């Protein structure tokens, strides 16, 4: 298999954590594929017309996207046990994955807006992204005791990657202030070997 990836993408990181958890990282060839909102990488079009990462290409040439679909496929392929079988627990894991993915989506757009010259920024958008981020952090702080009791799964991976992206791209946002239980959970999340191996970085692989 082939994985179009970037060491900076939180969505790619989700996939890499699953690969390491499943013990099948040696079955995937990583292809560094730069992608930017304002610079579409046309080389990615044959595998993903959306020109987004991550994109997995199976051995028979079948493309698979997005991160949620890729992670589900790899989990089932390897029987890694990262999605609960029981209906209620699975619903909770899926909801948490949606929340983590949604926060990452908002943060990517938030960063894109903040990086514009001041005269091109839309203050209302920045305020809305900030509100969403803080609302999610508040919700997760309330849920942190349950996160700590939950076996490692795709929902936790998504939430952990989103919080780590805050550390990586929003160093000016001290999200741990006022969220001590969530901060403790994230510390334990980051100590997991599959997570520590996938720290985002700016250098080429």
């Amino acid at each position: 298999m082939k994985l179009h990836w970037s060491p900076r993408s939180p969505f790619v990181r989700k996939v890499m954590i699953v690969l390491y958890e499943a013990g099948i990282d040696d079955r995937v060839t990583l292809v560094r594929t730069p992608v930017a909102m304002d610079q579409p990488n046309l080389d990615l079009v044959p595998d993903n017309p959306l020109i987004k990462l991550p994109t997995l290409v199976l051995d028979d040439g079948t493309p698979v996207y997005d991160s949620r679909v890729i992670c589900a496929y790899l989990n089932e392929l390897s029987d890694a046990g990262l999605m609960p079988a029981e209906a209620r627990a699975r619903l909770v894991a899926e909801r948490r994955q949606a929340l983590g993915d949604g926060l990452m989506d908002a943060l990517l757009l938030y960063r894109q807006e903040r990086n514009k010259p001041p005269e091109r920024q839309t203050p209302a958008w920045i305020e809305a992204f900030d509100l969403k981020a803080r609302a999610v952090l508040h919700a997760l702080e309330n849920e942190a005791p349950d996160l700590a009791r939950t076996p490692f799964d795709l929902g936790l991976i998504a939430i952990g990657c989103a919080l780590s992206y805050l550390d990586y791209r929003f160093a000016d946002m001290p999200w741990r202030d006022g969220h001590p239980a969530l901060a403790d959970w994230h510390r334990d999340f980051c100590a997991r070997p599959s997570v520590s191996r996938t720290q985002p970085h700016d250098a080429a692989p």
Side-chain angles (χ1 to χ4, degrees), residues 12-49:
V12 168
R13 191 181 189 193
K14 281 178 57 187
V15 173
M16 294 304 302
I17 290 172
V18 171
L19 285 172
Y20 289 132
E21 287 287 331
I24 58 173
D25 53 292
D26 59 343
R27 296 172 56 180
V28 177
T29 300
L30 302 182
V31 179
R32 178 68 182 273
T33 307
V35 169
M37 292 185 184
D38 58 346
Q39 295 178 335
N41 187 339
L42 299 183
D43 291 337
L44 186 53
V45 170
D47 290 332
N48 187 341

Side-chain angles (χ1 to χ4, degrees), residues 40-119:
N41 187 339
L42 299 183
D43 291 337
L44 186 53
V45 170
D47 290 332
N48 187 341
L50 293 171
I51 317 178
K52 294 177 68 175
L53 298 179
T55 298
L56 181 70
V57 182
L58 306 185
D59 291 336
D60 64 1
T62 301
V64 184
Y65 40 82
D66 60 2
S67 70
R68 197 176 311 187
V69 179
I70 295 172
C71 288
Y73 172 76
L74 294 175
N75 179 57
E76 293 181 6
L77 179 69
S78 61
D79 195 25
L82 295 174
M83 185 56 70
E86 192 272 326
R88 179 67 180 184
R90 187 180 188 90
L91 177 63
V92 171
E94 293 279 17
R95 176 183 60 78
R96 287 172 174 166
Q97 183 170 200
L99 186 62
D101 286 355
L103 178 56
M104 285 189 277
D105 278 329
L107 292 175
L108 289 169
L109 293 172
Y110 190 179
R111 179 172 179 267
Q112 185 78 6
E113 190 66 21
R114 293 206 316 177
N115 285 349
K116 292 179 181 178
E119 65 275 10

Side-chain angles (χ1 to χ4, degrees), residues 111-178:
R111 179 172 179 267
Q112 185 78 6
E113 190 66 21
R114 293 206 316 177
N115 285 349
K116 292 179 181 178
E119 65 275 10
R120 292 182 54 205
Q121 293 179 2
T122 303
W125 291 3
I126 291 178
E127 291 175 8
F129 292 137
D130 184 73
L131 184 151
K132 289 181 181 182
R134 295 185 187 282
V136 172
L137 289 171
H138 177 74
L140 289 174
E141 174 66 14
N142 291 335
E143 197 170 344
D146 287 334
L147 298 181
R149 291 191 291 265
T150 301
F152 199 72
D153 64 17
L154 293 177
L156 302 186
I157 291 172
I159 289 171
C161 286
L163 296 175
S164 293
Y165 191 73
L166 274 173
D167 288 336
Y168 181 51
R169 292 301 197 192
F170 293 82
D172 60 324
M173 182 185 292
W175 66 265
R176 290 172 178 80
D177 292 352

